Amino acid sequence: MIRIKTLTSYLSTSALGVFAGLAGYASWHLLPDLDLSSPDPQVAATVVVAYAVALALTINRFGLRRSWRWILVSAVFVTGVGIAGFEFLNLDLLLLPLLFAGSMSLLLVQLNRVWSLDRQLTRTLFKSSSSNAETEANTRLMSGIKLLNTVLPLSEAVVFRLDDSNALEAVARFKGAAAPNSQDPRRNSVWREGIELCQRAAKTGTLFSETLADQKSATVAVPLLHEGETAGVLLIRLASEFSADDTALLEAVGSQFARNLERESFSKSPARTPALSFFSHGGGRRKLDALNVLKAVTVEQRCEASTLLHIEDGVAIAYLDGTLTLVNPALLGFAGLTLLQVAKMDLFDLLHKFRTDIFDEPEIAVRRVLQTGVEYEGELNFEAKSQILNLRISLLRETQTNKAIGIAIHLKDLTATKEYEKLKSDMISLMSHELRTPLTSINGFAELLTADETIPAQAREFVSIIANESQRMSRMINTFLSVTQLQRKDKQEVLKIPLRLDEVVRETIVSLQPTAKKKRIRLIEQPAHRIPPVAADKSLITQAVKNLVNNAIKYSPERTTVTVSTALEAEAVRVCVEDRGFGIPAEAKERVWDKFYRVVREGQEKDEESTGLGLSFVREVVEQHGGHVELDSEEGRGSRFSFTLPRL
């Protein structure tokens, strides 16, 4: 594409040079006869055209700024040779045709180059502005008027746009609950007075207000200013007197209305051919409208960026050359810097303020983010300040093209969160220890009392209930602690070794066969051949499989089958536990993985022996290993629980 454009440029430039040369040659015949010896017409035409083409190609290749010295030297040389031939040899060496053709060639080529740049600029400007122009400006104007109506007692509001002849054109109108009656004889005079106020506001760029004769209402004309130019006027009628305290509010809203009008003006103005806009007053006006639209978008984007200044987390944004464009007060506080200090820093100077034992080379982290596009995240522990920060470095991309345009730094203070987690952990450990001791005693004495034959039958039944409930509470505490400890672990803390899931399934089935036989459940394995190993913690995965199989046995009717299978699926190994039990209602499928949730079936009470933590433990273990869990169930036909882990 670039070669085609270059070839087209040289061809058009050569054509302009030929035209200028022919014009110079034609001017030669219009000169008066000076009684000089003249060259052959064909030779004269060739020389003039060649000179004009040479100058055209030179300026097209190097530009006027770089080549003007050589062009001046050639003009001096042609002038000297022409004068010498006239004075000493009585020859016409085409001095005037060459100078005329050369000047015309330079003028045409330079105009063509400027015109070409203007077309490119116009296309870019129109394309950028069109993507940001609001074709529904009226909707935004009405939304703004409704916002005003919530804070001011509006009885009527009209937005006027100034057309090319500076006449007022109504583009949006609002009538409140207290709008004047159309039959009111004073309405027309009030309207005329309002128009006069609008004309004065548009001419001077100043807000004007007028209290009406009833002293209970007022008319206000607000100029809609954008970049120092008046785009229109907002005329409002208030159901009360106008307060000067509302001036700042109206001016701020008026600025937004002006930006909306600029968008509307650009989106509704007729599109012209970019090639002709260089010579058109209307085309120039449309370029100005497009520029105003871009300015309006820039203002609103600055408004969006300013929200980062008011959040509690630290945020900094840098361009890809390392220049810092925004650093909010929270991040300045984390770094212990002032605005004057950070103004002299670049991205790496700022990141070096957060160096720790873990984050000791910020350059490497930034390079990885730029190379892969994957954000960097880590915890920074500053023991001297008793502060823990979460640092995230991300690549910012342009929405439409997805090209990288900057780097974002996000810092979150985790000090209070970590202290809370430690307090929670200590409390859980303390409670579990304090609860286990009395439960062990309760359970032990209950079993002793159950074995005592001298205790009446009713008392023995009560003691048996005490024993069962204490055992259930012990199981609940143990499972809850397992889930809690697993959630606190980092993924790297899990002891992962190459593990074959089919062997885990086989061992689990052997250990649970007695439990299945007691319920007359047929527990079978459906193995697959050549199952590759996975990287996993054997004790955790084994417990997860046992939980799934135990649940299947517990909630299946007698004389049914529970099938446990393993299978290779692409880059993962799946373990599936399928039963022919009661099934799970559709509304409970997502919640069964939550802690303490137990399914309530129609006509049945909750299973009091269940802790509601088994499936939660399974999900935590699987996700800790980089896998995911799935459930497929239909009431009355059974359930299919499964999970996958990445293969080695």
Side-chain angles (χ1 to χ4, degrees):
M1 183 62 72
I2 295 177
R3 290 182 178 179
I4 293 175
K5 289 183 178 179
T6 304
L7 179 60
T8 303
S9 173
Y10 278 113
L11 289 177
S12 61
T13 301
S14 300
L16 291 174
V18 170
F19 176 79
L22 292 177
Y25 174 73
S27 68
W28 183 45
H29 293 284
L30 300 177
L31 295 175
D33 189 2
L34 299 178
D35 195 21
L36 298 174
S37 298
S38 301
D40 182 74
Q42 292 184 351
V43 174
T46 303
V47 171
V48 174
V49 170
Y51 180 68
V53 171
L55 290 182
L57 293 176
T58 299
I59 194 173
N60 183 70
R61 175 65 179 84
F62 300 104
L64 185 60
R65 179 178 297 180
R66 294 171 57 190
S67 60
W68 69 270
R69 294 182 179 86
W70 298 104
I71 294 172
L72 182 61
V73 169
S74 71
V76 171
F77 176 77
V78 168
T79 303
V81 171
I83 293 175
F86 174 74
E87 291 290 338
F88 302 108
L89 302 176
N90 199 32
L91 291 176
D92 183 2
L93 296 181
L94 308 173
L95 172 61
L96 295 179
L98 286 173
L99 292 179
F100 179 80
S103 301
M104 189 174 183
S105 177
L106 293 177
L107 178 62
L108 291 177
V109 173
Q110 187 64 14
L111 282 175
N112 182 61
R113 294 176 74 239
V114 174
W115 185 23
S116 176
L117 286 175
D118 180 78
R119 294 198 306 272
Q120 184 179 353
L121 173 64
T122 302
R123 283 194 296 268
T124 304
L125 189 60
F126 285 3
K127 182 179 179 181
S128 301
S129 302
S130 297
S131 62
N132 292 293
E134 292 284 346
T135 56
E136 297 182 358
N138 185 66
T139 303
R140 295 191 62 173
L141 290 172
M142 291 302 300
S143 176
I145 295 174
K146 290 177 181 177
L147 172 64
L148 272 181
N149 189 47
T150 61
V151 294
L152 294 176
L154 296 185
S155 59
E156 191 173 12
V158 183
V159 178
F160 293 99
R161 179 174 65 87
L162 286 179
D163 59 18
D164 295 336
S165 60
N166 288 329
L168 296 175
E169 176 188 357
V171 294
R173 186 185 299 271
F174 171 83
K175 289 187 178 182
N181 192 332
S182 59
Q183 305 298 325
D184 187 350
R186 281 276 302 156
R187 177 176 173 78
N188 291 335
S189 62
V190 171
W191 175 259
R192 286 193 297 271
E193 292 170 359
I195 294 297
E196 291 176 1
L197 282 181
C198 289
Q199 292 171 344
R200 290 165 58 190
K203 185 177 181 180
T204 63
T206 307
L207 182 147
F208 286 95
S209 63
E210 185 177 85
T211 302
L212 299 183
D214 56 9
Q215 299 295 318
K216 296 181 180 180
S217 58
T219 302
V220 184
V222 185
L224 308 181
L225 302 176
H226 175 62
E227 297 293 332
E229 295 187 4
T230 304
V233 181
L234 169 64
L235 176 64
I236 60 175
R237 291 188 59 186
L238 300 174
S240 65
E241 293 184 13
F242 174 68
S243 173
D245 295 338
D246 294 325
T247 301
L249 167 66
L250 291 174
E251 289 177 348
V253 174
S255 297
Q256 180 62 56
F257 283 8
R259 293 192 288 271
N260 294 341
L261 287 177
E262 292 290 353
R263 289 184 173 91
E264 183 194 43
S265 176
F266 179 79
S267 63
K268 290 186 176 180
S269 61
R272 292 178 174 83
T273 306
L276 301 179
S277 64
F278 184 67
F279 307 99
S280 167
H281 175 271
R285 182 66 193 178
R286 183 167 171 79
K287 294 177 195 175
L288 184 60
D289 291 341
L291 184 60
N292 285 333
V293 170
L294 292 179
K295 287 182 178 179
V297 173
T298 303
V299 170
E300 294 180 355
Q301 288 177 343
R302 288 202 301 267
C303 172
E304 295 169 3
S306 67
T307 59
L308 299 177
L309 302 176
H310 305 287
I311 64 176
E312 295 181 355
D313 295 346
V315 177
I317 297 176
Y319 297 127
L320 292 181
D321 59 1
T323 305
L324 293 170
T325 178
L326 183 143
V327 180
N328 74 342
L331 193 138
L332 291 176
F334 292 150
L337 297 171
T338 64
L339 282 174
L340 292 177
Q341 290 173 322
V342 83
K344 302 176 183 178
M345 292 181 171
D346 61 13
L347 172 65
F348 295 107
D349 294 332
L350 181 63
L351 288 175
H352 275 281
K353 291 292 182 180
F354 299 99
R355 290 182 60 182
T356 61
D357 293 339
I358 297 176
F359 186 67
D360 59 341
E361 295 189 42
E363 293 82 1
I364 294 178
V366 173
R367 185 176 65 188
R368 288 177 179 172
V369 171
L370 291 172
Q371 288 175 341
T372 64
V374 179
E375 67 179 24
Y376 168 88
E377 188 168 8
E379 287 187 5
L380 313 180
N381 191 352
F382 301 96
E383 294 182 358
K385 298 188 293 184
S386 299
Q387 187 180 50
I388 301 175
L389 300 177
N390 177 264
L391 170 67
R392 189 165 69 247
I393 304 175
S394 308
L395 196 62
L396 299 177
R397 298 183 181 276
E398 204 274 328
T399 306
Q400 295 180 348
T401 63
N402 201 36
K403 291 183 179 179
I405 56 175
I407 296 174
I409 301 171
H410 178 261
L411 282 165
K412 185 177 182 65
D413 192 348
L414 299 180
T415 308
T417 303
K418 292 295 182 180
E419 290 177 354
Y420 169 75
E421 288 180 355
K422 185 177 183 303
L423 178 63
K424 184 178 73 171
S425 175
D426 294 342
M427 185 176 294
I428 289 173
S429 299
L430 178 63
M431 289 179 61
S432 63
H433 179 269
E434 295 299 326
L435 285 173
R436 277 174 169 168
T437 301
L439 280 175
T440 302
S441 299
I442 293 172
N443 191 35
F445 285 117
E447 288 180 354
L448 288 175
L449 291 173
T450 304
D452 189 350
E453 298 293 337
T454 63
I455 296 178
Q458 187 176 13
R460 188 180 294 110
E461 180 184 355
F462 294 157
V463 171
S464 177
I465 293 174
I466 293 173
N468 291 336
E469 291 300 316
S470 63
Q471 291 174 6
R472 189 169 76 89
M473 187 170 289
S474 297
R475 291 196 303 271
M476 183 180 295
I477 291 174
N478 291 335
T479 308
F480 177 72
L481 288 176
S482 298
V483 174
T484 305
Q485 290 171 2
L486 186 64
Q487 286 178 328
R488 292 204 310 269
K489 281 187 178 181
D490 186 50
K491 289 184 179 180
Q492 283 74 18
E493 294 181 10
V494 177
L495 181 59
K496 294 181 180 180
I497 60 172
L499 182 67
R500 298 184 65 89
L501 291 181
D502 52 347
E503 294 179 358
V504 172
V505 168
R506 194 169 299 114
E507 293 173 4
T508 302
I509 289 177
V510 170
S511 65
L512 293 179
Q513 279 291 4
T515 305
K517 288 180 179 178
K518 285 182 181 179
K519 278 202 65 178
R520 299 181 181 180
I521 299 291
R522 186 186 178 200
L523 182 59
I524 62 174
E525 178 191 4
Q526 201 172 66
H529 298 288
R530 297 180 181 178
I531 296 295
V534 298
D537 186 306
K538 183 175 182 180
S539 62
L540 292 176
I541 294 298
T542 301
Q543 185 60 46
V545 175
K546 281 186 176 180
N547 284 359
L548 292 178
V549 177
N550 257 326
N551 277 359
I553 294 172
K554 184 185 298 184
Y555 299 113
S556 293
E558 292 184 358
R559 303 183 186 279
T560 57
T561 301
V562 172
T563 305
V564 188
S565 61
T566 52
L568 175 62
E569 297 181 356
E571 297 301 315
V573 178
R574 180 179 295 277
V575 175
C576 176
V577 178
E578 189 171 2
D579 62 56
R580 293 291 179 267
F582 307 112
I584 296 173
E587 63 274 9
K589 286 183 180 179
E590 292 298 326
R591 299 191 60 191
V592 293
W593 306 102
D594 296 341
K595 280 185 250 185
F596 304 113
Y597 181 78
R598 289 174 289 176
V599 177
V600 178
R601 296 178 179 84
E602 188 175 353
Q604 298 180 1
E605 296 182 355
K606 284 185 179 180
D607 180 9
E608 295 300 331
E609 293 185 3
S610 173
T611 63
L613 291 170
L615 292 179
S616 175
F617 178 82
V618 172
R619 183 175 66 175
E620 290 292 341
V621 168
V622 171
E623 290 181 353
Q624 193 77 289
H625 286 77
H628 67 277
V629 294
E630 292 182 11
L631 167 61
D632 184 18
S633 181
E634 184 178 349
E635 282 192 273
R637 304 192 66 176
S639 303
R640 184 176 183 268
F641 288 87
S642 64
F643 66 84
T644 59
L645 296 179
R647 59 167 291 182
L648 284 177

